[in-house]
Amino acid sequence: MKSLHLIINPNAGTRQGRRFLPEMISIFNRAGYLCSVYVTEKRGDAVDFARAHAGEADLVVACGGDGTLNEVITGLQLGRHKPSLGYIPCGSTNDFASGLELPLAPLLACDSIVLGNPRPLDVGLFGSDRYFSYTASFGAFTSVSWSTSQNVKNVLGHAAYILEGIRSLADIHPIHMKVTADGHEYEDDYIFGAVCNSTSLGGVLKLDDSEVHMSDGLFEALLIPFPPDLLVLNRILTALRTHCYDDPSLYFLRASSFVFEGAPEITWTLDGEAAEGTSRVEIKNIHNAISLIY
């Protein structure tokens, strides 16, 4: 019988993982897996468990939100483990799952895992030891995911991100940075920046499916310069709303590595979790780092 480690965050989203846990275990048992369950209690637990024990299993399954998946992937990378990975999305926005069109119902997600095939996916390395599965971002709206309380997320779901994002508009200030993407430099004052491997960013920004390939060794980056007047601001908003990322008011880049220099005081967001910036932040694409079953 094959072995499976199910790493579950019982408080993610509306707590569907906790509610359907017996049924999920039953699905994995019927598929021939001996399932062990690890329940996280605090931030970092999934990293520690995956780093120490993921090598013991044929399949590791993360059950929770994007942050839980981030921790499991981080543990796999730090421990240099290569088991197949499954994901049961139970968070508030589930950006990563939306980008891959994974089932959002827990039991359907389990069926997708046991019936699916392993597919290689790229992962991002942020600095020397932080990882992300779908986005690293800074600036406007990026603190919403980790500054909004879990209770508010559970009650309002995606609306919580929109409401908190609107409230954060008053705190938007220009961030001066020099961005180097595979040797090409872009220096400006920005209000938002994201390096991503997904079609969805917090449910607020969307990238076209044709623009994103999650195992091509490249990341997409969207940089929004600080608008000097309302006319430019309206142009930016129109470009975002219509997905017109070739508009000259934006920078839409594609590269395997990025270097951000000049803003050590800002806080980044990695898959919805906070990460402190430094005066020089390097982001690299780790090509085909994980094997996701779906």
Side-chain angles (χ1 to χ4, degrees):
M1 180 172 278
K2 295 174 290 186
S3 60
L4 184 154
H5 285 336
L6 175 61
I7 303 174
I8 180 171
N9 176 357
N11 297 315
T14 55
R15 302 178 180 178
Q16 291 189 78
R18 173 189 295 181
R19 190 180 315 148
F20 291 103
L21 181 58
E23 291 90 343
M24 292 191 297
I25 294 174
S26 179
I27 290 174
F28 292 132
N29 288 162
R30 291 198 302 271
Y33 286 100
L34 180 61
C35 183
S36 61
V37 179
Y38 180 77
V39 180
T40 65
E41 296 181 354
K42 63 183 183 302
R43 183 171 296 177
D45 279 356
V47 175
D48 295 338
F49 182 82
R51 182 176 187 174
H53 300 290
E56 304 164 0
D58 298 297
L59 174 62
V60 173
V61 177
C63 179
D66 292 326
T68 304
L69 178 65
N70 174 283
E71 289 200 10
V72 173
I73 289 175
T74 297
L76 293 179
Q77 296 302 303
L78 293 176
R80 301 183 183 275
H81 302 306
K82 293 292 184 180
S84 295
L85 176 64
Y87 181 38
I88 304 171
C90 295
S92 301
T93 58
N94 301 310
D95 278 340
F96 183 82
S98 298
L100 289 177
E101 298 183 351
L102 302 180
L104 299 182
L107 301 187
L108 292 179
C110 292
D111 289 335
S112 177
I113 293 170
V114 300
L115 298 175
N117 297 304
R119 310 183 193 193
L121 290 178
D122 301 338
V123 164
L125 173 62
F126 180 91
S128 61
D129 60 357
R130 293 290 301 269
Y131 294 86
F132 62 92
S133 60
Y134 74 93
T135 187
S137 56
F138 68 87
F141 304 116
T142 56
S143 68
V144 170
S145 57
W146 49 265
S147 63
T148 307
S149 73
Q150 188 62 53
N151 288 336
V152 173
K153 292 179 188 178
N154 290 347
V155 172
L156 298 180
H158 175 257
Y161 289 86
I162 302 299
L163 294 175
E164 289 292 330
I166 292 173
R167 191 165 68 179
S168 71
L169 282 173
D171 299 324
I172 293 177
H173 303 289
I175 301 169
H176 189 82
M177 275 194 179
K178 181 174 76 171
V179 181
T180 305
D182 282 351
H184 300 282
E185 295 183 357
Y186 306 84
E187 189 164 358
D188 212 328
D189 292 330
Y190 300 103
I191 60 171
F192 174 85
V195 176
C196 57
N197 199 34
S198 172
T199 59
S200 176
L201 296 175
V204 178
L205 296 178
K206 298 286 185 179
L207 299 179
D208 191 270
D209 290 344
S210 63
E211 296 284 358
V212 179
H213 304 281
M214 299 179 73
S215 58
D216 61 358
L218 300 173
F219 284 142
E220 289 69 39
L222 179 64
L223 303 172
I224 303 179
F226 187 82
D229 52 48
L230 288 177
L231 183 64
V232 176
L233 175 60
N234 286 331
R235 181 173 178 173
I236 290 173
L237 293 175
T238 299
L240 294 175
R241 187 171 58 249
T242 59
H243 302 174
C244 185
Y245 300 119
D246 59 352
D247 189 281
S249 62
L250 307 172
Y251 295 107
F252 184 75
L253 316 173
R254 184 175 283 110
S256 61
S257 67
F258 296 85
V259 177
F260 295 81
E261 298 176 278
E265 73 283 357
I266 69 167
T267 298
W268 287 69
T269 299
L270 307 182
D271 296 343
E273 302 297 323
E276 292 302 318
T278 60
S279 59
R280 187 180 189 275
V281 171
E282 186 171 2
I283 295 175
K284 293 182 179 180
N285 183 294
I286 310 301
H287 185 45
N288 292 347
I290 61 174
S291 180
L292 187 74
I293 294 184
Y294 63 102

